[in-house]
């Protein structure tokens, strides 16, 4: 069980080797975002938060396995789209609004774009992707837009273990 | 005519049991059920809405600043939401189905219950006997006794489990995989499924009215998949180069990775053809070597020229005999005294040679078309291509990249691409003047004229050069010079062609920088086109020279062996030049830029050029399979070495490309290029050789025949003579294969199928437009209803 090995080595004192009794162990976010797959990713906090049961970012082993299974090659596209939406939804209101977009852009470009450019990009993105006219992107809008770039879900949105 | 049957509509006024009478025509029932639903959801989501209200309060400052007029319709409820008195509206809005995706477990489970119920309905139509009277009879058949919105979490889970049971196993596993619940929940569901399987399994079996083939096919598919996953987990050798590919993907991203995956695919193709040829042709001829032994000794130079010791070896066509191996009549003629231990199995070498080459080509064709279909299906999307800015923001980040420097590079790349896209939008809004446009068109035309003329120039040069080399060769033969010199001369033509193939792409890159195209993708496609044109035209000329035998191999007895040797030399030279190009293009450039120029800029890994080199090498292999059956083995060795060399050079010397390349579209482009100019050209060449060219008189499996294909005719006549019952075979051969009408018919069918598919795609595009309009209308309806709700709540408060 390679994943269990990885989970264990992050905190060997806390994580038991024996999981048959289903112990209630959660690792805090600080430990998990130091993993090599996540360390340099600008969305690492959001990724860990979307998979944690309590929303705070601490992952139990089940959540950990969940995260790697969704971000693997074999997960179905609909599931990946749902979690991608969750990751980009910074204020967890089930819509990607302008604030979420601004935060995404800042993380993507490490704040290299000027404020004017950011506003322009956000407006254009909402204009392009919002289909029902409510000024923000719902899950249906997001899924429709992602389906136009099929290689994102199949190739880029995954960790290579 | 008969009267229409009497039709009475019994609509129940009973609003409590509105579960069963859920007909949209019954407006009263609809309104009351909506009210109850609201009450239900608001009481369930009480705790959730408190959190939501707090979040909305926090998130408000960002919402308050929409400047454009399109959001003014939304402004009103937006401003109204500030007041805590509108908590009713907020509560209702918070429990809308679109806001609960992925939020509460209950909502997810009910959503998936509906989805599985719909799937089940689709798979089994209800029988007409169960029709009972209603306004919408089609709704009546379905199991609407249980309303999942009212049930508790446990009931909902068991309902979902029940629905899942009634699906087929493949649908069930697919549904379970795509449910966005946590692992613990999925395990609980699976446990319930296993518990409920025995008593309900039979009922589901009856209800679904299954076709036994369908169910067993699903089980077989599932079983195979499980076995394959277990194999993959156990055998790391089943996934060769897994760690190396992970390293490459982690540092350079998906686009560079796709080059190495393409290399792996080519390796598999070659291993496959090599195995077929080995088993049916090479191994058997090796077991029965011909009478005359190999006179020449092995010197190292053969590896480069393919001549010398290799000429009379398994590598080339000339070695293979035209006799039937292990023929019982032959052994009886030789009059052996000892009786054979087992009856000897005769093996007709010429037929085996021809059929094996044909089968390996056919199998490669099928594999290619299948992978093209597969990757095309993944990458092609029906619908408009607008929306690239949104796609760039959400889909540009490659999560596989984990190294700090590469991540920083990716950020910079995305930033540059976003700025370029914005600049493009700005420039699109102010179009170029007529003068500028004319200038641009003139530059484009000039660039194309230049590249076409260079192609023509190269072809003419190769033609005259080969004639010159032929003359030199004849001189040397007359002078009886040393064998080293003679063989060295043979290498000059492949050297020149490889030199041209290596230098011209750099010239085309220069042309492209001078042209300065707007879109980098178009630039890359044009570079690929030009390079491909050059390579294919030069290969075409060489094929013509080989087959006409006026220049190359004109005075050889065994011209097929000569052509095979030439192809071997081309392959080896191609490999040598790829090596040199890697060393000089990447290693030396990096050293110079680090030591002399002191810049951190490393050379980029040029994916297009490298892929075209791979395709060129593969074309040479396919062209040469008929003349040198072991050529796929040489290509396998070459590809193995190339993988390690390219990987090492990449890791040490290169940086990721800055131009945007989409990995799936690249895969489609590579496989299409491999299929259409490359494989098709090789297939045409081989077919022409088999059908119309006279094989040599004194060597090879087809000595003395008019064309290679005549051996099949000979065999067919032999079969006819031996057993008169199989005249249908000769009839088949005569009317289907030789007659051109059948081929025209096949191409007509293919064209009809293509036209049909094009029309289907057009219809789908039209439907997509209609659906988009519908979604926009629904959005407007929603806003209108929210307004009304808001004003009703306000009125109530005022009255209260």
């Amino acid at each position: 069980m390679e994943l269990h090995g990885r989970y264990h080595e992050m905190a060997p004192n806390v994580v038991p080797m024996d999981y048959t009794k289903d112990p209630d162990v959660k690792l805090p976010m600080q430990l998990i975002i130091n993993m090599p797959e996540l360390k340099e990713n600008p969305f690492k906090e959001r990724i860990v938060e979307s998979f944690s049961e309590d929303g705070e970012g601490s992952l139990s082993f089940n959540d950990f396995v969940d995260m790697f299974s969704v971000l693997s090659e074999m997960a179905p596209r609909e599931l990946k789209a749902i979690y991608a939406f969750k990751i980009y939804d910074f204020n967890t209101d089930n819509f990607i609004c302008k604030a979420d977009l601004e935060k995404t852009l800042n993380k993507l470009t490490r704040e290299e774009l000027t404020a004017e450019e950011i506003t322009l990009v956000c407006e254009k993105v909402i204009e392009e992707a919002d289909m029902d006219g409510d000024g923000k992107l719902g899950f249906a809008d997001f899924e429709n837009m992602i389906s136009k770039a099929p290689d994102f879900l199949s190739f880029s949105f995954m960790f290579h273990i | 005519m008969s009267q229409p049957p009497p039709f009475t509509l019994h609509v129940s006024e009973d609003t409590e049991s509105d579960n069963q009478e859920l007909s949209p025509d019954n407006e009263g029932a609809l309104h009351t059920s909506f009210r109850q639903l609201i009450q239900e959801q608001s009481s369930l989501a009480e705790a959730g809405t408190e959190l939501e209200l707090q979040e909305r309060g926090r998130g408000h400052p960002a919402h308050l600043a929409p400047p454009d007029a399109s959001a003014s319709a939304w402004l009103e409820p937006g401003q109204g939401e500030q007041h805590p008195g509108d908590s009713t509206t907020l509560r209702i809005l918070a429990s809308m189905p679109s806001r609960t995706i992925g939020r509460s477990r209950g909502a997810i489970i009910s959503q998936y219950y509906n989805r599985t119920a719909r799937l089940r309905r689709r798979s089994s139509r209800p029988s007409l006997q169960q029709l009972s009277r209603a306004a919408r009879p089609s709704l009546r058949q379905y199991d609407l006794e249980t309303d999942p919105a009212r049930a508790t979490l446990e009931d909902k889970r068991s309902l979902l489990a029940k629905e899942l049971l009634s699906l087929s196993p493949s649908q069930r596993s697919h549904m379970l995989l795509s449910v966005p619940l946590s692992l613990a929940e999925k395990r609980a569901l699976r446990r319930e499924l296993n518990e409920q399987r025995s008593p309900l399994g039979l009922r589901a079996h009856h209800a679904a009215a299954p076709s036994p083939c369908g169910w067993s096919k699903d089980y077989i598919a599932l079983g195979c998949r499980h076995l394959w996953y277990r194999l993959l987990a156990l055998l790391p050798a089943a996934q060769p180069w897994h760690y190396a590919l992970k390293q490459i993907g982690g540092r350079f991203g998906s686009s560079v990775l796709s080059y190495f995956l393409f290399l792996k695919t080519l390796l598999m193709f070659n291993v496959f053809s090599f195995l077929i040829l080995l088993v049916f042709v090479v191994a058997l001829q090796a077991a029965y070597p011909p009478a005359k032994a190999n006179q020449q000794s092995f010197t190292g130079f053969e590896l480069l020229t393919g001549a010398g010791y290799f000429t009379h070896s398994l590598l080339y066509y000339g070695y293979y005999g035209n006799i039937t191996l292990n023929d019982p009549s032959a052994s009886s003629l030789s009059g052996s005294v000892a009786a054979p231990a087992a009856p000897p199995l005769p093996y007709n070498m010429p037929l085996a040679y021809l059929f094996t080459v044909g089968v390996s080509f056919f199998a490669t064709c099928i594999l290619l078309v299948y992978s093209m279909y597969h990757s095309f299906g993944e990458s092609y999307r029906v619908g408009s291509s607008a929306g690239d800015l949104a796609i760039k923001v959400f889909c540009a980040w490659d999560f596989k990249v984990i190294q700090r420097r590469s991540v920083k590079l990716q950020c910079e790349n995305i930033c540059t691409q976003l700025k370029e896209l914005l600049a493009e939008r700005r420039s699109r809004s102010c179009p170029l003047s007529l003068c500028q446009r004319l200038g641009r068109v003139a530059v484009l035309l000039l660039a194309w004229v230049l590249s076409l003329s260079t192609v023509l120039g190269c072809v003419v040069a190769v033609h005259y050069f080969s004639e010159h080399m032929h003359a030199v060769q004849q001189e040397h033969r007359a002078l009886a010079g040393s064998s080293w010199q003679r063989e060295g001369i043979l290498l000059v033509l492949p050297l020149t062609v490889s030199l041209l193939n290596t230098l011209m792409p750099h010239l085309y890159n220069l042309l492209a920088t001078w042209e300065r195209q707007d879109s980098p993708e178009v630039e890359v496609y044009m570079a690929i086109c030009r390079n491909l044109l050059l390579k294919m035209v030069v290969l075409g000329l060489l094929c013509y020279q080989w087959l006409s035998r006026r220049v190359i191999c004109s005075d050889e007895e065994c011209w097929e062996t000569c052509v095979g040797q030439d192809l071997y030399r081309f392959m080896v030279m191609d490999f040598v030049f790829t090596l040199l190009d890697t060393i000089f293009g990447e290693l030396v450039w990096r050293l110079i830029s680090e030591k002399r120029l002191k810049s951190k800029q490393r050379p980029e890994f040029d994916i297009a050029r490298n892929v075209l080199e791979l395709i060129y090498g593969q074309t040479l292999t396919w062209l040469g399979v008929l003349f040198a059956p072991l050529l796929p083995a040489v290509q396998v060795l070459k590809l193995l070495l190339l993988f390690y060399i390219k990987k090492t050079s990449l890791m040490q010397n290169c940086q990721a490309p800055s131009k945007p390349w989409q990995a799936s579209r690249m895969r489609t482009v590579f496989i299409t290029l491999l299929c259409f100019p490359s494989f098709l050209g090789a297939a045409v060449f081989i077919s022409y050789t088999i059908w119309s060219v006279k094989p040599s008189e004194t060597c090879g499996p087809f000595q003395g025949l008019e064309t290679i294909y005549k051996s099949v005719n000979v065999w067919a006549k032999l079969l006819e003579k031996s057993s008169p019952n199989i005249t249908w075979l000769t009839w088949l051969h005569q009317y289907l294969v030789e007659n051109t009408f059948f081929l025209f018919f096949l191409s007509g069918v293919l064209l009809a199928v293509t036209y049909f598919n094009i029309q289907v795609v057009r219809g789908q595009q039209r439907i997509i437009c209609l659906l988009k309009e519908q979604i926009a209308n629904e959005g407007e309806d929603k806003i209108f209803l929210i307004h009304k709700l808001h004003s009703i709540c306000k009125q109530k408060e005022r009255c209260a």
Side-chain angles (χ1 to χ4, degrees), chain A residues 19 59 77 111 116 137 143 153 160:
Chain A
Y19 252 81
L59 296 183
R77 297 168 53 90
E111 293 162 31
E116 182 199 327
L137 304 182
E143 205 181 4
L153 288 179
H160 215 143

Side-chain angles (χ1 to χ4, degrees), chain B residues 189-408:
Chain B
L189 258 177
R190 243 183 254 245
R191 227 180 299 134
E192 286 207 39
L193 276 174
N194 287 331
E195 278 167 23
Q196 293 190 27
R197 198 190 288 269
S198 16
L200 286 177
L202 284 166
R203 206 193 78 178
H205 210 80
H206 284 303
S211 56
C213 325
W215 278 74
S216 52
K217 199 167 46 152
D218 286 331
Y219 277 116
I220 289 173
L222 273 177
C224 286
R225 210 183 331 153
H226 277 277
L227 204 67
W228 177 239
Y229 287 156
R230 269 204 205 113
L231 250 165
L232 277 184
L234 290 174
L235 294 174
Q239 308 180 44
W241 299 325
H242 177 73
Y243 183 66
L245 290 173
K246 176 185 170 186
Q247 245 185 324
I248 294 172
R251 221 173 114 180
F252 295 95
S254 314
S255 48
V256 172
L257 189 62
S258 62
Y259 165 79
F260 287 91
L261 289 173
F262 185 62
L263 206 154
K264 201 167 123 181
T265 317
L266 280 181
L267 190 72
M268 296 299 155
F269 278 143
N270 281 306
V271 164
F272 178 67
S273 340
F274 170 59
L275 281 176
I276 294 184
L277 283 165
L278 181 76
V279 167
F280 290 104
V281 173
V282 177
L284 288 153
Q285 188 66 64
Y288 293 89
K292 47 178 180 159
N294 205 344
Q295 287 125 353
Q296 306 187 355
S297 59
F298 183 77
T299 65
F301 207 43
E302 269 89 25
L303 287 172
L304 212 55
T305 59
Y309 178 72
F310 280 164
T311 318
H312 297 287
S313 68
L314 278 170
L315 188 53
Y316 296 117
Y317 175 95
Y319 188 80
Y320 296 85
N322 72 331
I323 50 172
T324 306
L325 301 170
N326 213 9
D327 201 357
S329 52
S331 63
S332 65
L333 274 173
S334 65
S336 55
V337 180
L345 297 164
Y347 194 77
N348 193 339
M349 198 62 204
L351 274 182
Y353 196 92
L354 181 63
F355 281 148
T356 315
V357 168
V359 161
S360 83
F361 258 82
F362 191 64
T364 314
C365 179
I366 291 186
L367 280 173
L368 264 178
V369 170
Y370 175 72
S371 34
M372 208 168 71
Y373 163 77
H374 196 60
S375 65
F376 195 70
E378 274 181 16
S379 72
Y380 182 70
R381 283 293 177 268
V382 177
S384 64
S385 53
D388 17 326
L389 198 59
I391 291 176
K392 188 66 52 158
V393 169
F394 287 120
C395 305
W397 186 263
D398 196 344
F399 282 69
K400 278 204 266 221
V401 175
I402 55 183
Q403 273 216 353
R404 179 176 301 202
R405 208 171 8 167
S406 320
V407 163
K408 188 159 161 253

Side-chain angles (χ1 to χ4, degrees), chain B residues 605-669:
Chain B
F605 186 76
D606 193 348
I607 301 175
R609 196 161 49 87
N610 282 299
V611 165
L612 279 178
E613 275 172 19
L614 280 179
I615 293 181
Y616 176 71
Q618 189 59 42
T619 318
L620 287 174
T621 313
W622 279 331
L623 284 174
V625 159
L626 185 65
F627 305 109
L630 279 181
L631 219 54
V634 176
Q635 175 78 346
V636 164
L637 269 171
K638 184 176 142 190
L639 285 174
L640 279 172
L641 285 172
L642 208 62
F643 182 88
Y644 290 107
I645 293 170
K646 284 282 174 187
K647 174 175 166 273
T648 322
S649 165
L650 183 75
M651 290 296 185
Q652 305 284 345
N653 306 327
C654 296
Q655 69 178 24
S658 55
K659 298 182 201 128
W661 267 99
Q662 290 182 332
S664 71
R665 208 184 288 177
M666 279 161 79
R667 210 186 108 112
T668 316
V669 165

Side-chain angles (χ1 to χ4, degrees), chain B residues 709-738:
Chain B
Y709 188 68
K710 286 282 185 269
S711 58
V712 178
N713 285 350
V714 164
W715 178 61
K717 284 201 190 79
L718 208 74
L719 274 181
E720 209 185 326
K721 253 187 282 169
S722 65
S723 137
N725 294 337
I726 45 176
T727 45
W728 58 268
L729 198 67
T730 43
W731 178 89
L732 208 75
H733 173 80
Q734 197 180 349
Y735 285 105
L736 285 185
V737 181
E738 304 237 301

Side-chain angles (χ1 to χ4, degrees), chain A residues 66 88 94 128 147 156 160, chain B residues 99 103 246 394 399 425:
Chain A
D66 253 343
Y88 287 127
N94 265 315
E128 278 172 10
S147 68
S156 310
H160 215 143
Chain B
R99 299 206 179 193
R103 283 253 283 176
K246 176 185 170 186
F394 287 120
F399 282 69
R425 295 293 167 94

Side-chain angles (χ1 to χ4, degrees), chain B residues 368-603:
Chain B
L368 264 178
V369 170
Y370 175 72
S371 34
M372 208 168 71
Y373 163 77
H374 196 60
S375 65
F376 195 70
E378 274 181 16
S379 72
Y380 182 70
R381 283 293 177 268
V382 177
S384 64
S385 53
D388 17 326
L389 198 59
I391 291 176
K392 188 66 52 158
V393 169
F394 287 120
C395 305
W397 186 263
D398 196 344
F399 282 69
K400 278 204 266 221
V401 175
I402 55 183
Q403 273 216 353
R404 179 176 301 202
R405 208 171 8 167
S406 320
V407 163
K408 188 159 161 253
L409 207 68
Q410 222 187 103
C411 290
E412 282 168 13
N413 280 342
I414 292 180
C415 191
T416 324
Q417 285 160 31
L418 283 171
K419 290 198 184 178
E420 276 174 14
L421 271 172
L422 279 178
E424 196 192 340
R425 295 293 167 94
R426 243 178 264 135
S427 75
R428 230 189 269 170
S429 48
C430 42
L432 298 166
S433 68
L434 188 68
C435 239
Q436 282 177 320
R437 249 186 290 164
L438 273 176
R440 189 163 277 278
V441 167
V443 164
L444 207 69
L445 271 174
L446 196 63
W448 269 104
V449 162
L450 252 158
S451 41
L452 285 173
S453 53
T454 47
V455 167
L456 205 65
C458 288
V459 166
V460 166
V462 166
H463 178 72
Y464 282 118
F465 193 74
S466 62
E467 287 189 341
H468 174 72
M469 286 318 300
H470 182 69
V472 168
Q473 206 178 342
Q474 293 205 311
E475 258 179 49
H476 264 266
R477 198 168 298 200
L479 289 173
S482 74
S483 65
W484 283 82
Q485 267 186 325
R486 236 185 301 145
E487 308 212 327
I489 288 175
L490 293 169
L491 281 176
V492 178
L493 185 64
L495 205 128
T496 332
V497 171
S498 297
L499 195 71
L500 275 176
N501 278 332
T502 317
L503 290 179
M504 296 304 288
H506 293 288
L507 180 72
Y508 292 142
N509 279 344
L510 277 173
L511 257 179
T513 48
W514 175 61
E515 256 185 346
R516 253 181 295 124
Q517 282 279 354
D518 277 332
S519 144
E521 249 188 69
V522 172
E523 208 179 292
V524 168
Y525 283 139
M526 290 233 295
I528 289 183
C529 271
R530 287 174 182 153
N531 284 322
L532 200 66
L533 197 68
L534 173 72
K535 291 189 158 81
M536 292 301 142
V537 172
V538 168
L539 269 181
L541 171 75
L542 288 169
C543 287
Y544 169 72
Q545 284 188 339
W546 282 323
L547 283 185
S548 64
R549 273 170 292 144
R550 263 178 244 139
V551 181
I552 310 179
C553 306
S554 55
D555 39 297
E556 296 273 342
E557 274 191 10
C558 201
W559 67 268
E560 292 98 343
T561 306
C562 175
V563 171
Q565 283 173 340
D566 229 9
L567 275 161
Y568 177 87
R569 284 188 281 263
F570 269 90
M571 275 184 68
V572 169
M573 275 295 134
D574 182 50
F575 177 63
V576 165
F577 268 84
T578 311
L579 212 66
L580 286 175
D581 190 32
T582 312
I583 293 177
F584 284 105
E586 293 172 8
L587 178 67
V588 172
W589 189 351
R590 173 184 70 103
L591 288 172
I592 288 178
S593 78
E594 266 185 14
K595 302 282 165 54
R596 278 298 186 82
L597 305 173
K598 301 271 188 229
S599 73
K600 281 277 181 176
Q601 191 84 343
R602 289 176 156 202

